[in-house]
Amino acid sequence: MSGPLVITWTLTALFAVLVLPCVLRLVRLDYGRLGSAVRNGDLAELLLVVAMVAMLSPVGGPIPAAGWQAVLALTAGWFAVSWWRGRRSGHSACGHHAVACAAMLFMVTFMPHSEVSHGPWLVMSGPEAAPALWLSLAFGVAAAYFAVDAVRAGVSAARGGSSGAGQVSRWVCRVVMGLGMGYMLLGAAV
C-alpha cells in the first residue's frame, strides 16, 4: 500500500477507533435474542477492523502474514458456508463478510509487502512496483464492490437502519470499512 505516511497513520488511527463500537456491540447486545448470525457478524467485523489496522500501520503488526492468511481463510470459509446454508433465510450479511474476508486474504497474499525492513510481519505501506494486469483488474473489481457497498450502507445508516440493536453502528462501521478497503484496493491496483 503506497501512500504518504500521514495518510497511513490517519487511516490506522481511524480503524483503531472502530474497534470500540465493535467491542461495545459484543459486550452489550443480547445475542440470544438477536441470533448467532448477528454475533458472528460482529466478531467478523472486529477481526476485519484489527486486520485493517495491521495492514495499514507503517510499524507492522504482531502477527506474521501467514497467521493472517490462515485466520482470514478460515473466516472466509465459515461465512461462505453460513451464507450458502442460510441464503434463503436472509443471511446476506454472511455473504458480505465472506467477500470481505476473501478480499483481505487476497490483499495479504498478493499485495506488495515491505518485508525487507520488517521480516515476516504484515506491513503494506511501503512503495513497491506496480502489480500485474490481472491483479490490477481483480483489485479494481473488489474496490468497486466495496464502494457500492459503502454507499448502500451509508444510505441505510442515514435512514436509521433496520429496527435492530446496534444496527446503525454496524452500518457506520461497514461504510468506513468499505471505504478503507476500496482505498487499499485502488492503491494496490495502481
Side-chain angles (χ1 to χ4, degrees), residues 99-125:
V99 168
C101 288
M104 290 284 247
L105 175 63
F106 194 70
M107 284 191 286
V108 169
T109 304
F110 292 107
M111 278 178 70
H113 293 60
S114 299
E115 293 179 315
V116 175
S117 61
H118 294 285
W121 310 118
L122 180 61
V123 177
M124 296 188 187
S125 52

Side-chain angles (χ1 to χ4, degrees), residues 32-176:
R33 183 177 47 85
L34 295 173
S36 63
V38 174
R39 181 194 67 233
N40 292 343
D42 286 345
L43 285 169
E45 194 71 32
L46 179 61
L47 168 73
L48 292 171
V49 166
V50 171
M52 288 293 279
V53 169
M55 279 196 259
L56 286 165
S57 172
V59 176
I63 301 174
W68 281 112
Q69 288 169 326
V71 168
L72 291 168
L74 288 171
T75 307
W78 173 272
F79 279 103
V81 169
S82 296
W83 170 80
W84 182 257
R85 292 178 63 203
R87 67 190 181 282
R88 288 184 175 78
S89 58
H91 283 76
S92 62
C94 290
H96 170 75
H97 290 308
V99 168
C101 288
M104 290 284 247
L105 175 63
F106 194 70
M107 284 191 286
V108 169
T109 304
F110 292 107
M111 278 178 70
H113 293 60
S114 299
E115 293 179 315
V116 175
S117 61
H118 294 285
W121 310 118
L122 180 61
V123 177
M124 296 188 187
S125 52
E128 302 292 335
L133 178 61
W134 74 271
L135 277 176
S136 293
L137 292 174
F139 287 145
V141 168
Y145 167 80
F146 287 108
V148 168
D149 186 68
V151 169
R152 287 181 41 206
V155 169
S156 294
R159 290 182 181 163
S162 57
S163 61
Q167 195 63 23
V168 173
S169 172
R170 276 186 202 90
W171 288 119
V172 170
C173 286
R174 193 160 165 169
V175 167
V176 175

